[in-house]
Amino acid sequence: MKKTILFIALLTVAYSVFAQTDSLMPYPIDTVKHTAVYRYQVEKSIGLYRISKNFGVTQEEIIKWNPQLNERGLHVDEIILIPVRVSEGAASKPVESATQKPTLPLATMTRDKQQISNDIQLKAETQHAVAMPLHSDKSDTLDLVFMLPLQANAVKRDPNMDRFYDFYAGSLLAIRKVQSPNLHIRVHTYDIGKTEIGIQEILAKPALKQADMIIGPVYNPQIALVAEFAKENKIMTLLPFSSSVPDLESNPYLIQFNSTSDLEATQMANYLSGASHHVNCILIDAKDEDIPTSVKQLRNAIINQGIPYTTTSIHAIMRDSLSGILNEGAENVFIFNTERYTNLQTVMPHLLKTIGRYNVTLLSRYSWQKEKILLPQVYGSIFHTDSTSAAISYQSDFDLYFGHIPASDQPRYDMLGYDLTHHVLDILHRMTQASTEEEKTEIIESTYHGLQSDIQFRRQNENGGYLNHKIKIVSTSKQ
């Protein structure tokens, strides 16, 4: 049986607890204006009267929380707020967040995350803010703000959210690793869900203007609001999951970890042009509007760099008519017009027939590595597999504090959280010693060698933010 290892093993956590309800409805619970509310998705063929009876509240209370219903009524699939009821003697009332926050662990970090909030709903003043104060002297304290969709209070959690829990767990291990008598870290965590609802309320909190770094959020509507706040208040903001941040070119306080498709295209073209052997790129015909942007960018980079290429079609491959296109003295790199491996499954047997006579390589993608691809491949990735003693030690620490071995799925989101948090904390600490903007930029652009990712943020332009330029080109080719 897995032992229960709690966040308190890492840091002291303060939180506020809901009063015990007779029975919670199976819908996500949130805190809005200091009151616990369900986020209910309106079902087909159900009216306001039936909803009020199901949740034990009046129709007037529902309309008070959702004033738009007064004007246009219910819409199927829209999300409405319904106050959570709690029994108190013979009466009942909406649950309010407690103002006193007794010390108790935030949550267990077992893989069975469905059990996180079955009996106790973990809440704080707004949006599940969990403050972990370690020191009161701002001069040697770093304030770190996490904005992640953890769904800690959902009765039925979305399993896709597990990656954010894993990321957060790795981040907490990094914090424990970095903190010292001379460096104290104060963590503020906001479980913000998937929409922008409540983001403005969080950003209005005075404490956020004192933050040294914001990590998150995940989804674009949230990112837009936080990016504006970061620029206005000059707070560095790390975006770990988005690969498309519109304000990156104009907001000097944004840091994007995921590489962009144009950067990947440039680096792949550089790799192909610098190969020690002859390369023959084979582009697959398609209508321009049917080709994904990332593939177009790679094609343009190949042409612009003068890399030898030829063009063929899916029909030619299916007819096994490639003899006039393949080059016996070169590595023939097939570049298909798709980002999905499932679109290639019918042509793969025909490519496999060329092995033996020709040197054939598939221009692949990191996400395709879960498939059983028998061809040699080349692809770009911001992740790498590390089997060093440091990674082994990390896994032991993870098991010690969370009571289970981390998920083995690639990429490892716990390692991503560890690498990024460890790196930005080092950056922040070193920046306190910098006296000029040039020195700060140099510190941010320093290279970090992590457990799963090597990271180097580079400023996009004089007025823009930073983008990770460390893309590893992986080749399984025999050449």
Side-chain angles (χ1 to χ4, degrees):
M1 178 178 180
K2 294 177 179 176
K3 56 184 178 179
T4 303
I5 303 295
L6 307 167
F7 283 161
I8 199 169
L10 298 174
L11 296 167
T12 301
V13 178
Y15 79 118
S16 52
V17 185
F18 282 163
Q20 182 65 43
T21 59
D22 286 340
S23 61
L24 292 174
M25 300 289 286
Y27 302 103
I29 300 176
D30 210 339
T31 299
V32 178
K33 297 179 181 179
H34 307 287
T35 301
V37 294
Y38 292 107
R39 292 196 180 279
Y40 169 69
Q41 185 172 18
V42 178
E43 299 165 274
K44 190 176 181 180
S45 303
I46 190 170
L48 194 60
Y49 173 78
R50 175 51 51 197
I51 293 173
S52 69
K53 291 300 182 183
N54 289 348
F55 285 86
V57 296
T58 65
Q59 296 181 58
E60 289 74 18
E61 285 178 294
I62 297 176
I63 292 173
K64 178 182 176 182
W65 281 93
N66 307 273
Q68 74 276 11
L69 301 183
N70 245 338
E71 302 174 2
R72 52 144 175 93
L74 290 169
H75 287 181
V76 175
D77 291 335
E78 74 171 317
I79 304 297
I80 62 173
L81 305 180
I82 303 174
V84 177
R85 309 299 298 189
V86 58
S87 296
E88 189 178 273
S92 65
K93 63 177 183 178
V95 179
E96 295 186 359
S97 296
T99 55
Q100 299 297 320
K101 298 186 278 293
T103 300
L104 210 71
L106 171 63
T108 61
M109 291 295 296
T110 65
R111 294 301 298 170
D112 187 11
K113 300 181 181 69
Q114 183 66 44
Q115 301 176 359
I116 287 173
S117 299
N118 284 353
D119 299 316
I120 297 179
Q121 301 297 323
L122 306 174
K123 290 288 179 178
E125 295 179 7
T126 305
Q127 297 291 323
H128 328 318
V130 181
M132 295 184 275
L134 297 181
H135 203 274
S136 59
D137 184 0
K138 181 66 180 175
S139 64
D140 55 4
T141 298
L142 294 177
D143 279 89
L144 209 59
V145 173
F146 286 89
M147 292 186 177
L148 298 171
L150 300 173
Q151 289 194 341
N153 300 90
V155 174
K156 186 176 181 180
R157 294 189 68 257
D158 180 353
N160 290 325
M161 299 299 104
D162 282 359
R163 55 182 168 154
F164 303 119
Y165 261 105
D166 293 340
F167 178 91
Y168 188 49
S171 295
L172 292 179
L173 284 182
I175 290 168
R176 179 182 178 275
K177 181 81 171 179
V178 171
Q179 69 175 357
S180 68
N182 297 321
L183 176 62
H184 302 274
I185 302 163
R186 187 161 47 208
V187 177
H188 309 266
T189 299
Y190 295 86
D191 187 351
I192 58 173
K194 296 182 179 181
T195 70
E196 63 271 36
I197 295 175
I199 295 289
Q200 292 287 21
E201 187 177 356
I202 296 171
L203 297 178
K205 298 173 79 67
L208 257 73
K209 294 184 178 181
Q210 304 302 316
D212 295 290
M213 174 75 72
I214 297 173
I215 298 181
V218 174
Y219 303 104
N220 284 340
Q222 302 169 336
I223 290 174
L225 295 175
V226 174
E228 182 180 352
F229 174 86
K231 188 173 184 179
E232 180 181 347
N233 295 282
K234 300 181 179 180
I235 299 171
M236 301 305 299
T237 298
L238 171 67
L239 301 167
F241 298 99
S242 176
S243 57
S244 178
V245 179
D247 295 332
L248 193 66
E249 297 289 335
S250 59
N251 190 334
Y253 297 97
L254 300 183
I255 304 175
Q256 179 178 320
F257 170 68
N258 281 341
S259 59
T260 58
S261 57
D262 59 335
L263 178 61
E264 289 187 13
T266 299
Q267 296 206 17
M268 179 58 72
N270 290 341
Y271 170 82
L272 294 173
S273 65
S276 59
H277 54 280
H278 187 47
V279 171
N280 176 38
C281 292
I282 301 173
L283 310 181
I284 311 301
D285 273 337
K287 294 180 179 179
D288 193 62
E289 60 268 23
D290 295 333
I291 303 177
T293 300
S294 62
V295 179
K296 289 181 184 178
Q297 290 168 334
L298 178 57
R299 288 174 174 231
N300 291 337
I302 287 171
I303 295 170
N304 291 338
Q305 293 201 26
I307 300 171
Y309 75 95
T310 187
T311 303
T312 190
S313 66
I314 293 292
H315 297 294
I317 297 174
M318 297 293 285
R319 293 196 306 267
D320 298 321
S321 304
L322 295 174
S323 57
I325 296 172
L326 295 173
N327 187 329
E328 292 186 13
E331 179 181 10
N332 298 277
V333 182
F334 278 83
I335 301 174
F336 284 87
N337 47 30
T338 182
E339 295 177 332
R340 298 170 179 254
Y341 179 73
T342 52
N343 296 342
L344 304 182
Q345 289 178 331
T346 56
V347 303
M348 289 302 291
H350 297 275
L351 291 183
L352 289 172
K353 292 179 182 179
T354 65
I355 294 178
R357 181 177 177 185
Y358 298 99
N359 178 12
V360 174
T361 298
L362 174 67
L363 194 290
S364 185
R365 296 179 179 275
Y366 179 80
S367 60
W368 297 1
Q369 301 316 300
K370 297 177 182 178
E371 310 291 342
K372 294 181 179 179
I373 301 176
L374 301 179
L375 281 173
Q377 303 165 65
V378 59
Y379 60 92
S381 176
I382 52 178
F383 305 110
H384 60 77
T385 302
D386 193 337
S387 58
T388 64
S389 58
I392 296 172
S393 176
Y394 164 84
Q395 183 152 312
S396 176
D397 286 344
F398 193 101
D399 187 21
L400 174 63
Y401 287 99
F402 297 124
H404 66 92
I405 296 173
S408 59
D409 294 344
Q410 300 295 326
R412 286 268 299 275
Y413 285 99
D414 59 297
M415 281 190 171
L416 175 60
Y418 182 89
D419 282 339
L420 283 173
T421 305
H422 193 281
H423 185 33
V424 297
L425 284 173
D426 179 62
I427 288 173
L428 291 174
H429 187 43
R430 291 165 58 197
M431 284 176 62
T432 61
Q433 313 300 320
S435 56
T436 66
E437 289 301 317
E438 290 75 14
E439 289 177 335
K440 291 180 179 179
T441 298
E442 185 178 342
I443 290 170
I444 295 174
E445 292 185 338
S446 60
T447 301
Y448 172 81
H449 299 289
L451 298 176
Q452 182 177 247
S453 300
D454 293 336
I455 305 167
Q456 185 178 38
F457 298 119
R458 290 184 184 173
R459 196 160 209 161
Q460 292 297 88
N461 55 59
E462 185 178 351
N463 299 313
Y466 298 83
L467 174 66
N468 176 30
H469 277 244
K470 276 290 183 181
I471 299 174
K472 181 180 178 65
I473 303 298
V474 180
S475 175
T476 63
S477 172
K478 296 179 181 179
Q479 291 288 340

